């Protein structure tokens, strides 16, 4: 078991920032463990979600932002739905990803690259173009597409479009991303 | 009855490709039920999961562009078949009730959002506007003998304060609609458990594990097929069923229908309008047996 010396690494600015960005009161968590009990992803998490809540209460920025769990959370809303103290735990997990991104910390690179390529596709075409997303994902990760056998199945069924569907307002969508970058440096 | 469309329709990106059968069957069923849909002109991607993992203002802005277009076209209700789109659109509306948040979102948009638009799933509209009783009266080919595992996926009904429809732990809308069609609905304890969501490409192991659990449970409750309302769930259970079988050394062979496809079958709609041939695990055997044997529960 990993033991953390709380007094050495308590970061109160970080705690305040998580509370501000998520709109949640961290001290409401009384560690009942309900969120972890219902989380379908605990089996791949390095830190269970209730323990992330505890680490947040003690301001453990490094431990939280560098963990794998925040990249593997599917926002399934089980924790948020079941928290007896009405804490929006899934929103906190989202906010932790936002912070980890801003700090350039990524424990699950393939997950991040997939999401980034999805958004690049939306920025370019106005809508998500699935084949293009997978192609650039493979390009960026250098990972041979582990789903290769699915390609022919989906193609045979006419389920994968070969060409992106560019919308008329794609410039408007691109501008949303541009303005976001200007405002927040994203 | 020729009413002007009441709902602005947001199809969502996957409807253009991997869930095209959901898209065509949704349109066909709504037409048959007299629910007029007007596609939002030049709609764009709602940002899906990736956007909200980057930033909540960005995510809401991508969703809001579509709400603005719907409003400009004269609609105050947007409907969508896809739970992922639903969640993004509804969360955007919910968060924009805070004026500061709405200001931040509007800074990113060409044309600002000023509220006055609500969002519902097509499922909610069929359940509330038509309802099981009226649907039952329209059935031409009862789905008798078909035992289904109803699978809602994780976000159609959660979190309840945002989604505001059905029960977050034990939803029943699909159950009731399927029973109205004459099908038998198995008690399915994993109705809202996550299938692995969008991790299929980056972390296939996660999806095979979680979807494997769902397939196993469906067999345990002796269902002959899944019925679902979510493109991502459908893809993980159907297209990836072979991967699950490989990873877990199982031999599942369960068709995974969209609820709209089964409504269409029961209403006697043309096969070509329901995209049944697009399903990866063939539903042929099961469809051929419909009506030949009475279901154990509801004899009629
Ligand atoms: S939202 Fe994330 S942390 Fe919460 S239960 Fe689901 S996967 Fe786990
Ligand atoms: S369910 Fe809520 S109170 Fe219980 S451990 Fe999780 S966050 Fe804390």
């Amino acid at each position: 078991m990993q033991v953390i010396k709380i007094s050495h690494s308590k970061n109160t600015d970080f705690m305040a920032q998580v509370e501000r960005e998520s709109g949640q009161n961290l001290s409401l968590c009384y560690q009942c463990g309900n969120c972890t009990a219902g989380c379908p992803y605990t089996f791949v998490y390095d830190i269970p979600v209730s323990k992330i809540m505890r680490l947040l209460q003690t301001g453990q920025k490094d431990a939280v932002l560098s963990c794998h769990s925040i990249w593997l959370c599917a926002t399934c809303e089980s924790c948020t739905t079941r928290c007896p103290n009405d804490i929006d735990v899934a929103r906190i997990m989202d906010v932790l990803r936002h912070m980890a991104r801003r700090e350039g910390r990524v424990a699950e690179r393939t997950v991040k690259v997939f999401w980034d390529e999805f958004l690049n596709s939306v920025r370019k075409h106005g809508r998500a173009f699935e084949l293009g997303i997978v192609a650039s994902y493979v390009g960026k990760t250098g990972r041979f597409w582990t789903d290769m056998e699915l390609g022919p199945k989906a193609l045979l069924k006419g389920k994968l479009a070969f060409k992106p569907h560019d919308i008329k307002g794609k410039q408007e969508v691109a501008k949303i991303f541009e303005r976001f970058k200007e405002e927040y440096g994203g | 009855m020729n009413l002007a469309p009441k709902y602005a329709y947001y199809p969502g990106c996957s409807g253009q490709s991997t869930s095209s059968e959901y898209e065509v069957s949704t349109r066909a069923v709504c037409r048959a039920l007299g629910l007029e849909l007007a596609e939002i002109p030049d709609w764009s991607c709602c940002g899906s999961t990736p956007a909200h993992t980057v930033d909540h203002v960005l995510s809401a802005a991508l969703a809001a562009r579509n709400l603005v277009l719907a409003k400009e076209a004269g609609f105050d209700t947007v409907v969508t078949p896809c739970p992922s789109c639903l969640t993004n659109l509804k969360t955007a509306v919910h968060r924009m009730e805070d004026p500061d948040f709405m200001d931040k979102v509007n800074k990113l948009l060409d044309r600002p959002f000023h509220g006055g638009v609500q969002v519902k799933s097509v499922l909610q509209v069929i359940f509330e506007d038509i309802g099981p009783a009226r649907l039952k009266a329209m059935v031409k080919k009862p789905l008798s003998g078909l035992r289904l595992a109803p699978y809602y996926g994780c976000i159609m009904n959660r979190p309840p304060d945002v989604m505001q429809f059905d029960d977050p732990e034990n939803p029943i809308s699909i159950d009731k609609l399927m029973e109205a069609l004459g099908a038998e609905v198995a008690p399915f304890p994993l109705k809202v458990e996550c299938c692995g969501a969008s991790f299929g490409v980056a972390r296939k192991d996660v999806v095979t594990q979680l979807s494997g659990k769902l397939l196993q449970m469906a067999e345990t409750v002796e269902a002959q097929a899944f019925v679902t309302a979510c493109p991502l769930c459908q893809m993980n259970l159907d297209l990836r069923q072979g991967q699950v079988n490989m990873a877990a050394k199982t031999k599942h062979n369960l068709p995974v229908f969209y609820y709209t496809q089964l409504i269409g079958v029961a209403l006697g709609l043309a096969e070509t309008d329901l995209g049944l041939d697009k399903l990866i695990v063939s539903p042929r055997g099961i469809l051929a047996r419909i009506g030949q044997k009475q279901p154990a529960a509801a004899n009629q």
Side-chain angles (χ1 to χ4, degrees):
Chain A
M1 204 178 95
Q2 182 197 9
V3 178
I4 292 169
K5 286 214 176 66
I6 289 174
S7 51
H8 290 191
S9 46
K10 182 167 183 168
N11 183 331
T12 46
D13 288 346
F14 171 64
M15 294 157 71
Q17 198 186 351
V18 173
E19 292 205 329
R20 196 173 56 244
E21 291 190 24
S22 69
Q24 308 300 306
N25 180 350
L26 296 175
S27 61
L28 286 179
C29 171
Y30 53 31
Q31 287 290 294
C32 66
N34 244 345
C35 48
T36 297
C39 177
Y41 289 79
T42 303
F43 78 105
V44 278
Y45 277 10
D46 50 349
I47 307 178
V49 59
S50 55
K51 192 166 169 199
I52 289 180
M53 290 300 294
R54 187 71 189 127
L55 291 170
L56 289 174
Q57 289 178 328
T58 53
Q60 301 305 309
K61 180 175 177 179
D62 285 339
V64 169
L65 292 191
S66 59
C67 78
H68 288 255
S69 310
I70 57 175
W71 296 98
L72 296 171
C73 160
T75 321
C76 76
E77 303 287 352
S78 172
C79 49
T80 296
T81 303
R82 293 177 189 170
C83 174
N85 296 315
D86 282 334
I87 303 170
D88 192 341
V89 190
R91 186 164 179 184
I92 293 176
M93 293 294 271
D94 241 1
V95 161
L96 296 174
R97 292 187 269 235
H98 304 165
M99 290 179 166
R101 274 180 180 274
R102 293 200 296 260
E103 304 229 339
R105 305 190 204 209
V106 189
E108 287 281 334
R109 185 167 170 268
T110 59
V111 172
K112 178 181 176 286
V113 170
F114 181 72
W115 286 337
D116 289 351
E117 290 316 314
F118 184 99
L119 291 175
N120 278 336
S121 183
V122 176
R123 185 202 318 244
K124 250 198 268 170
H125 310 295
R127 289 184 193 160
F129 168 47
E130 287 164 329
L131 260 190
I133 294 167
V134 169
S136 33
Y137 169 82
V138 172
K140 288 270 161 61
T141 55
R143 227 173 154 225
F144 185 68
W145 190 25
T146 57
D147 273 344
M148 220 35 147
E149 80 272 19
L150 297 187
K153 278 191 189 170
L155 288 174
L156 271 175
K157 296 278 177 185
K159 291 180 94 170
L160 276 177
F162 279 110
K163 276 196 284 178
H165 183 112
D166 286 34
I167 64 165
K168 281 190 239 116
K170 68 179 184 180
Q171 284 310 324
E172 280 170 46
V173 177
K175 270 200 276 173
I176 294 177
F177 285 97
E178 265 167 46
R179 291 186 190 120
F180 173 71
K181 200 164 183 183
E182 279 160 27
E183 289 273 329
Y184 305 92
Chain B
M1 187 173 68
N2 211 348
L3 296 172
K6 195 164 138 199
Y7 296 113
Y9 179 62
Y10 181 80
C13 299
S14 68
Q16 317 282 298
S17 55
T18 45
S19 69
S20 54
E21 67 272 43
Y22 195 18
E23 170 67 8
V24 292
S25 59
T26 295
R27 287 182 190 264
V29 163
C30 286
R31 207 179 306 123
L33 295 176
L35 293 165
E36 297 285 334
L37 307 174
E39 182 167 337
I40 296 176
D42 211 41
W43 57 272
S44 48
C45 175
C46 69
S48 194
T49 304
H52 72 69
T53 67
V54 171
D55 187 87
H56 289 153
V57 176
L58 174 68
S59 169
L62 290 171
R65 177 179 178 270
N66 299 293
L67 301 171
V68 171
L69 291 174
K71 188 82 189 159
E72 284 175 355
F75 294 93
D76 55 16
T77 306
V78 171
V79 301
T80 182
C82 171
S84 179
C85 304
L86 180 74
T87 249
N88 273 309
L89 297 169
K90 278 185 100 90
T91 303
V93 170
H94 183 76
R95 290 197 177 136
M96 283 192 290
E97 282 166 13
D98 169 2
D100 289 342
F101 186 84
M102 183 146 87
D103 280 351
K104 285 186 192 158
V105 172
N106 282 340
K107 278 213 180 99
L108 305 189
L109 293 173
D110 274 7
R111 282 163 296 173
F113 179 73
H114 296 298
V117 181
Q118 58 168 345
V119 184
K120 291 179 180 176
S121 62
V122 172
L123 175 65
Q124 179 173 5
V125 167
I126 293 179
F127 189 70
E128 290 176 350
D129 292 16
I130 308 294
R134 263 175 73 196
L135 188 64
K136 189 172 179 174
M138 296 172 78
V139 169
K140 293 211 174 83
K141 183 182 175 194
L143 304 184
S144 51
L146 182 58
R147 185 171 161 94
L148 299 166
Y151 178 53
Y152 295 73
C154 51
I155 50 173
M156 178 70 105
N157 310 95
R158 304 190 306 191
D161 339 340
V162 179
M163 304 318 278
Q164 308 248 0
F165 171 59
D166 212 343
D167 190 272
E169 298 289 1
N170 183 25
I172 50 148
S173 52
I174 296 178
D175 297 42
K176 295 288 169 215
L177 293 175
M178 291 303 119
E179 282 165 4
L181 304 178
E184 191 186 330
V185 178
F188 190 62
L190 302 180
K191 277 179 171 178
V192 296
E193 208 57 28
C194 184
C195 65
S198 64
F199 289 115
V201 174
R203 286 291 304 258
K204 189 166 70 174
D205 57 318
V206 172
V207 173
T208 51
Q209 171 85 14
L210 294 177
S211 283
K213 237 177 25 185
L214 293 165
L215 284 157
Q216 199 58 54
M217 184 57 79
E219 298 215 331
T220 304
V221 301
E222 295 178 346
Q224 297 160 325
F226 271 106
V227 53
T228 182
C230 173
L232 208 46
C233 303
Q234 201 280 343
M235 183 166 81
N236 284 341
L237 292 170
D238 185 30
L239 182 64
R240 292 184 185 280
Q241 198 170 124
Q243 294 180 334
V244 170
N245 281 334
M246 270 239 275
K249 300 201 172 52
T250 46
K251 289 194 178 120
H252 302 295
N253 187 34
L254 282 178
V256 188
F257 293 104
Y258 288 103
Y259 77 100
T260 43
Q261 291 180 306
L262 289 178
I263 294 179
V265 168
L267 295 183
L269 302 186
E271 281 241 343
T272 45
D273 283 348
L274 302 176
L276 291 164
D277 57 323
K278 305 253 182 202
L279 300 180
I280 305 290
V281 177
S282 171
R284 289 291 152 212
I286 277 180
L287 289 175
R289 286 200 301 273
I290 284 177
Q292 289 184 359
K293 167 170 77 105
Q294 291 300 304
N299 267 318
Q300 42 178 313

